[in-house]
Structure formats: C-alpha cells, structure tokens
C-alpha cells in the first residue's frame, strides 16, 4: 500500500550549496592522517567522482595510522563515504535522496563489513553503518543500546553558507543476535533520532 502524503517523510528543505563542505575541529585531516589518506585514495574513488583535497575530507573515526572512516560532500547534495582497512579502501558515493529517511536525516546506509576484524571467524565480523544528519555539532549517542552495538563516531562539516552536516558511523555484529528493534541513536537535544538497527538507503 502506498503511504499517503501525510505519512511520508517530509522533504528536506535545504539550500543546494554549490561548493564543498569543510570539516570542523578534530574532523579536519592533519599531518598524522597523511598515510591514512594516501591509503584511502590509492585505488581511487568510484567512476564519475574526484579525489577531494585533504582540507575537504572529514575524518569520522581514526582506528590507526592506516585505518579509519572518512566522508566528504562536494556540494549540498553529493557525498562520498569511505572505509580504509590497512591499505584497502572502499567507497560509496552518490546523491542525497530528495525525501528525508526521517526528520533531521539526509541519508542512512546499512553498512559494510569492517575488514579490520577477523574475517576467518564470521561471528566476529562487524558491519559499519553510515548516516548523514542535518546540523551540528551537538553529539549523537545511543539512547537504548543493543547488545554488541559499537560506539557512535561523528564528524561535523560546514558549507560556506553556514549550513552544517554531521557524518555518523556505528558498528554492529554482522550476524546480528541481540539487536533491539526499540534501540535508537539520538542527538543530545533529542530533536533527531533514528533506529540503531541496520538502516538502508
């Protein structure tokens, strides 16, 4: 059954910034991230997208000198998200959907396997979900946390217009077992919340 207009997620009213966002605070890449960024872009990004300058890359989570998670936005509606595992990089790039997944969110992605974990033991393999939320820099965290769910990592970026976005990642066991359908992640003011179950485009 097709949802009525009243029950559909609201269309996110946002300016389509024509230039890239810049990361704020600890999200900005520094000299210590040089090896990480080289590893990330060694194999390039998806066809049709360009490798950004380092000052446009938001580092969401630093796992080590060569591993982590990063994201950037070329403009107000084009994003890329990447994970790097000890020399191997994987990227997802695309355009934001016109309709928000839920109010305050711009994009949710269900996750990719984290190759830092032991792939030989399927019970230990984790997926990492990626979310783009409107605004910043108020922190997000678990409100009700499922067993085995990892911490929330985040990075804020700002467009020249002043508009800000928050990139979020969180991990969970790939095989599930213990996820709570009522568990959710919320911004500290509770104005933006979403389920911490694996989310999809």
């Amino acid at each position: 059954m097709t949802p009525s207009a009243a029950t559909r997620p609201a269309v996110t009213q946002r300016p389509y910034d024509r230039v890239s966002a810049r990361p704020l605070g600890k999200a900005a890449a520094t000299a210590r991230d040089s090896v990480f960024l080289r590893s990330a872009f060694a194999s390039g990004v998806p066809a049709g997208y360009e490798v950004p300058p380092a000052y446009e890359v938001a580092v969401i989570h630093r796992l080590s000198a060569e591993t982590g998670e990063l994201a950037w936005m070329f403009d107000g509606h084009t994003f890329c998200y990447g994970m790097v595992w000890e020399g191997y990089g994987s990227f997802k790039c695309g355009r934001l959907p016109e309709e928000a997944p839920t109010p305050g969110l711009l994009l949710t992605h269900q996750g990719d396997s984290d190759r830092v974990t032991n792939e030989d033991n399927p019970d230990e393999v984790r997926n990492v979900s990626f979310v783009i939320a409107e605004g910043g820099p108020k922190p997000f965290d678990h409100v009700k946390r499922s067993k085995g769910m990892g911490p929330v990592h985040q990075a804020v970026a700002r467009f020249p217009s002043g508009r800000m976005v928050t990139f979020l990642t969180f991990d969970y066991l790939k095989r599930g077992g213990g996820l709570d359908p009522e568990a959710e992640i919320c911004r500290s003011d509770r104005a933006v919340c979403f389920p911490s179950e694996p989310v999809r485009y």
Side-chain angles (χ1 to χ4, degrees):
M1 182 172 67
T2 303
S4 67
T7 61
R8 289 179 189 149
V11 173
T12 303
Q13 298 299 320
R14 59 182 181 270
Y16 282 124
D17 296 88
R18 296 182 182 277
V19 292
S20 59
R22 299 281 180 94
L24 301 178
K26 294 180 181 179
T30 63
R32 67 180 175 158
D33 298 309
S34 59
V35 174
F36 170 44
L37 295 182
R38 278 200 304 274
S39 296
F41 299 124
S43 58
V45 296
Y49 298 90
E50 298 178 359
V51 172
Y55 59 78
E56 293 180 2
V57 177
V59 180
I60 305 169
H61 185 201
R62 296 171 174 92
L63 289 110
S64 73
E66 297 183 6
T67 59
E69 301 153 12
L70 64 158
W72 65 94
M73 290 190 72
F74 295 104
D75 53 40
H77 56 147
T78 309
F79 75 93
C80 278
Y81 158 65
M83 295 175 62
V84 183
W85 312 277
E86 300 175 356
Y88 174 80
S90 173
F91 291 95
K92 304 285 186 189
C93 296
R95 294 170 65 90
L96 298 178
E98 288 298 324
E99 292 190 356
T102 62
L105 296 186
L106 300 176
L107 177 89
T108 59
H109 174 58
Q110 73 171 4
D112 301 293
S113 294
D114 182 350
R115 295 184 182 217
V116 173
T117 58
N118 183 3
E119 291 271 356
D120 294 330
N121 185 347
D123 291 329
E124 293 182 3
V125 175
R126 304 183 72 83
N127 270 9
V128 179
S129 285
F130 173 63
V131 173
I132 304 177
E134 298 207 60
K138 292 179 180 176
F140 283 79
D141 204 351
H142 295 279
V143 173
K144 184 177 181 184
R145 190 168 180 164
S146 294
K147 182 180 178 181
M149 189 72 67
V152 178
H153 301 283
Q154 62 193 64
V156 177
R158 180 171 58 202
F159 290 95
S161 66
R163 175 173 164 255
M164 291 188 283
V165 293
T166 300
F167 304 118
L168 304 159
T169 61
F170 56 97
D171 64 87
Y172 56 93
L173 288 170
K174 186 173 183 179
R175 285 200 169 184
L179 290 177
D180 184 339
E182 295 184 4
E184 60 181 357
I185 293 170
C186 292
R187 201 167 67 186
S188 59
D189 60 3
R190 300 296 176 91
V192 180
C193 292
F194 56 90
S196 56
E197 287 255 19
V199 291
R200 299 180 182 276
Y201 276 115

